Amino acid sequence: MESAAERQHLHPLLAGRVSPYRFDVGHVLTAAQSRLLLEAAGHAPSAGNSQPWGFRPALRGDPVHRLIVGHLAPSSARWAPDASALIVTAARRAVGDMPYSDFADYDLGQAVAHLTIQAEAMGLACHQFRAFDLGGLTDDLRPAPGWAIMSVVAVGRSVDETTATPDRMAIDELVTAAWEPDRA
C-alpha cells in the first residue's frame, strides 16, 4: 500500500480525495455549480480532440433524479439518492455504422476525473459507480444512436465520518502489476 510519505507531495485535492458513502441531504447543488462541474469535464484531453463524452445531470428531487434512483441496485440505493446530484455518463462508441473511437471509454474516464477534481476544489465530493440496471436506465433515458451509458457519478457534500484516505496501491506495484515478470 502507498505510504503517507509517498502521498505527502501530492496536491491536497488528490491526496485527500475519497468516494463517500454518505452525502449531506440538506446540501443543494446550484445550476451554476453543476455547469462548472461539466465545464471542467469538457476541458479533459481526448484522442483527436473527439470529446466522446456525454453527461445527463439530475439534481436531487427533479424527475430525472427520481428516474435514475429507480434503477439503482440495492447497494447504491442505500446512499446515492442523498447526493445533491446524480450525473449519468455516456461514451460515444460509434457514428452510424463506423466505430467512433477506441479510446471513448478512456476519454470519458478522463472527463470524469476532471469533474471530480473540480468538485473537490469546490468543497464537494464525487462517487462514481456502476451499481444500477443498465438496460432499464438505457431504455428510460434513450441515449442517441452510437452512445452507451457507462456510469453514474453522485455529487454532493460529503458527511462521511471517515477522514482517512483509503489504501492505495504502492508505486512499485503500479509499475509491475500489469506486466509479466522478466519482460522488458
Side-chain angles (χ1 to χ4, degrees):
M1 293 298 147
E2 179 188 55
S3 71
E6 289 173 320
R7 206 172 30 246
Q8 74 181 351
H9 297 293
L10 283 177
H11 191 283
L13 294 175
L14 297 170
R17 193 206 63 76
V18 296
S19 296
Y21 284 104
R22 291 187 57 225
F23 288 92
D24 178 356
V25 295
H27 179 262
V28 175
L29 190 71
T30 68
Q33 289 171 317
S34 179
R35 289 186 62 78
L36 184 56
L37 293 171
L38 297 174
E39 183 179 345
H43 279 265
S46 62
N49 197 31
S50 59
Q51 303 173 46
W53 46 66
F55 300 95
R56 181 73 186 262
L59 299 177
R60 186 180 52 241
D62 75 23
V64 175
H65 188 276
R66 286 190 291 277
L67 183 144
I68 296 166
V69 167
H71 290 290
L72 298 180
S75 60
S76 56
R78 288 192 299 268
W79 58 269
D82 292 342
S84 302
L86 297 175
I87 302 173
V88 177
T89 72
R92 189 169 191 180
R93 297 255 180 86
V95 176
D97 293 335
M98 300 295 294
Y100 188 66
S101 172
D102 290 337
F103 301 103
D105 297 356
Y106 176 85
D107 291 343
L108 172 62
Q110 290 223 48
V112 171
H114 276 60
L115 183 152
T116 299
I117 297 306
Q118 180 64 44
E120 288 286 324
M122 296 164 61
L124 303 171
C126 294
H127 187 138
Q128 183 175 207
F129 62 97
R130 179 42 192 90
F132 57 88
D133 173 13
L134 178 61
L137 190 59
T138 298
D139 288 346
D140 282 349
L141 290 183
R142 299 185 322 264
W147 290 86
I149 292 174
M150 298 298 296
S151 66
V152 175
V153 181
V155 181
R157 185 175 298 137
S158 173
V159 293
D160 249 345
E161 295 167 5
T162 305
T163 56
T165 302
D167 289 335
R168 301 287 181 200
M169 193 182 299
I171 303 302
D172 289 343
E173 190 175 352
L174 285 173
V175 299
T176 60
W179 316 112
E180 290 186 31
D182 302 317
R183 301 279 179 157

